[in-house]
Amino acid sequence: MSERRDPPDHRTTFIITTTTTTPCPILTFKLENALKLHSTNLIHPSQGIDLSVSPTAKYASFPYHDYTPYAQFISKEELLKELKIDSCCNKTDQTSSLINESCDVSSSSNGVCIVTRNIILSNSHAGTHADQPKHFEKSPIIEKFHTIQYNGDCIIVMLEHLLNDSLTISKELIENVFQHIQIPKEEIFRIILKTRKHHPTNDVEWTNDFCHLSKEASHFLANEFPNLLLIGIDTPSIDHPNKAPIIEHSHGEFWKQRIAILENLNLSRVEMRNVSPLPPLHNNNTNLSLKSSTSSDLVSSPLFKRGYLQTIFNPLQMGEDAIGCFVLFYPY
C-alpha cells in the first residue's frame, strides 16, 4: 500500500511578500485567506498527474514572425544567423566548434566521460508557462505573482464535452457549470479549465483555432470567487490571438483581481470515473448560448476533479513576462 501524507504546507515555507514596495491589498487578502483555509486533504504522492507541456511542442508556441519559436537545439551557423553575424567574418576556436557536439572530458585514458554542449533557442511562453504582470501591463504594481498562487487546493473543471466545438467559453456556460460545483465560493482558490477532448502531439504545428475565455466569462470568474488566486487552461492562451491588447480582454479581467494565469497545460490524463449523476439545473430553461448545449448536457457530464496543485518553475525559462514551469496535480 502506498504511503499517504499531507500535501506541502506553504504556511511554513512562504512569507506573504511581493516584489514591489507598493502594497497590494487584493492579493494579500487572498493569500491570507488561502492560508487560513489550507487544505487538510490527504494525497498519494505516487498518484501525481503531470500536466506539463514541453517547451518543444510546436503547437504551444505562438509563431510571431519567427520571434517566439518553440524550444529547439540550434547549430553554430543557425546561432550566427539569429545574431545576424556573417559566419565568414567570424573567427572560430575549438570551443565554439564543439557546439551541439559530444566531447570526452574524462581525465583518465581508461574510460570516457561524454558531455554535449548545446545551444537552445526558445521563448518565455513556450510550453506550460505562468504569465507574469509585465506580459500585459507596462508598469505593473507587482512584478511577479506569488508562489502560493500556483500551489495548493485546486479544481479542474471539465468543459470539453460541453463546448460542442465552440472556441469561446461563454459566461452563460461558466455560470451554469458552477451551479453544480457545490463548493463554497470562498473556498475556491484555483480553477483550471479543460477544453480539449484530444490533446495534440508535440509535432503538430500552431493554429489559432484553440479554445479561449470570453471577456464576460473572465469577469465573472474573477469577481464571483473572492479568494481566487489562479486560473489555468489547456490551450496556449486564455485570450484568442486576435484579442489585442490583452489587457483589455481576459488577461486584464484577471489582472484587476491579481489572479495568476497558467497556460498550455495538458489535461488529457485527468479523467473522471464512477461519478454520480448531477442534479438538474435550477433553471432548466437556461440557454448556454452554444449551438446544441442544453441543461441535459450538464446533468450527464462529470464536471470537476478536486486535488492539490504543485508548480515548479523552470530556471532555464525565466522571463520578466512569463516563467516556464512543470505542473503536477494530485487528486484527492
Side-chain angles (χ1 to χ4, degrees):
M1 181 179 294
S2 60
E3 179 186 0
R4 292 173 68 89
R5 66 182 69 167
D6 288 325
D9 191 341
H10 293 287
R11 288 173 295 186
T12 59
T13 56
F14 296 106
I15 300 174
I16 298 177
T17 58
T18 60
T19 56
T20 177
T21 56
T22 306
C24 185
I26 295 176
L27 184 53
T28 301
F29 171 80
K30 291 183 177 184
L31 292 172
E32 289 175 346
N33 287 339
L35 296 180
K36 289 177 185 177
L37 297 175
H38 181 75
S39 173
T40 57
N41 289 292
L42 297 179
I43 62 172
H44 284 283
S46 62
Q47 294 181 358
I49 302 172
D50 186 4
L51 307 184
S52 310
V53 170
S54 170
T56 63
K58 295 182 179 180
Y59 72 87
S61 187
F62 180 59
Y64 179 74
H65 304 298
D66 296 325
Y67 187 76
T68 53
Y70 57 89
Q72 55 197 282
F73 292 115
I74 63 172
S75 66
K76 176 190 170 186
E77 290 71 27
E78 291 170 325
L79 174 62
L80 295 176
K81 183 179 179 181
E82 287 289 331
L83 298 176
K84 296 181 172 57
I85 298 175
D86 189 346
S87 59
C88 297
C89 302
N90 183 57
K91 294 182 179 180
T92 61
D93 55 29
Q94 185 177 4
T95 303
S96 62
S97 66
L98 293 177
I99 292 176
N100 292 346
E101 294 184 9
S102 298
C103 177
D104 182 5
V105 298
S106 176
S107 59
S108 171
S109 59
N110 296 326
V112 298
C113 181
I114 302 297
V115 297
T116 303
R117 175 173 173 157
N118 291 319
I119 293 181
I120 301 176
L121 183 65
S122 186
N123 81 90
S124 56
H125 292 259
T128 301
H129 63 273
D131 282 353
Q132 297 303 306
K134 285 191 176 181
H135 178 47
F136 38 77
E137 181 75 89
K138 288 184 177 180
S139 301
I141 188 173
I142 57 173
E143 295 179 357
K144 301 288 183 184
F145 289 109
H146 200 283
T147 310
I148 294 176
Q149 295 184 251
Y150 303 96
N151 296 275
D153 189 75
C154 176
I155 60 171
I156 296 179
V157 182
M158 312 296 188
L159 300 179
E160 69 270 34
H161 296 293
L162 302 175
L163 289 164
N164 294 322
D165 299 323
S166 172
L167 297 181
T168 303
I169 304 172
S170 69
K171 175 188 174 184
E172 291 79 12
L173 175 60
I174 291 294
E175 283 183 311
N176 284 323
V177 165
F178 274 93
Q179 286 185 30
H180 291 304
I181 298 179
Q182 298 178 356
I183 302 174
K185 292 180 181 180
E186 64 274 8
E187 293 185 18
I188 294 181
F189 299 102
R190 300 164 190 86
I191 297 172
I192 291 177
L193 304 175
K194 183 179 181 182
T195 69
R196 296 183 187 269
K197 295 178 182 178
H198 307 287
H199 205 87
T201 57
N202 288 354
D203 58 346
V204 173
E205 297 289 343
W206 169 280
T207 65
N208 286 346
D209 58 344
F210 57 80
C211 199
H212 55 278
L213 282 157
S214 70
K215 180 178 180 178
E216 295 74 21
S218 299
H219 179 84
F220 173 81
L221 288 167
N223 292 276
E224 185 73 7
F225 304 100
N227 293 321
L228 188 63
L229 292 167
L230 174 79
I231 187 75
I233 197 167
D234 59 350
T235 63
S237 177
I238 59 171
D239 272 313
H240 190 272
N242 66 8
K243 301 295 184 182
I246 55 178
I247 190 66
E248 296 180 2
H249 296 277
S250 291
H251 280 80
E253 291 299 322
F254 290 114
W255 169 238
K256 290 174 186 176
Q257 300 301 324
R258 305 299 184 257
I259 296 168
I261 299 169
L262 273 180
E263 296 172 328
N264 270 336
L265 293 164
N266 182 350
L267 305 179
S268 61
R269 291 180 288 275
V270 180
E271 299 177 348
M272 300 294 291
R273 297 178 182 175
N274 302 323
V275 178
S276 301
L278 295 167
L281 286 170
H282 299 306
N283 180 4
N284 290 327
N285 295 321
T286 300
N287 181 5
L288 297 182
S289 74
L290 298 173
K291 290 184 179 179
S292 60
S293 291
T294 63
S295 59
S296 62
D297 294 321
L298 292 175
V299 172
S300 61
S301 300
L303 290 182
F304 75 99
K305 187 77 172 177
R306 194 172 186 179
Y308 190 91
L309 190 72
Q310 180 184 22
T311 302
I312 303 168
F313 294 121
N314 182 356
L316 296 180
Q317 201 178 354
M318 292 278 189
E320 290 187 344
D321 54 285
I323 304 174
C325 46
F326 308 100
V327 181
L328 293 171
F329 179 73
Y330 301 87
Y332 293 148

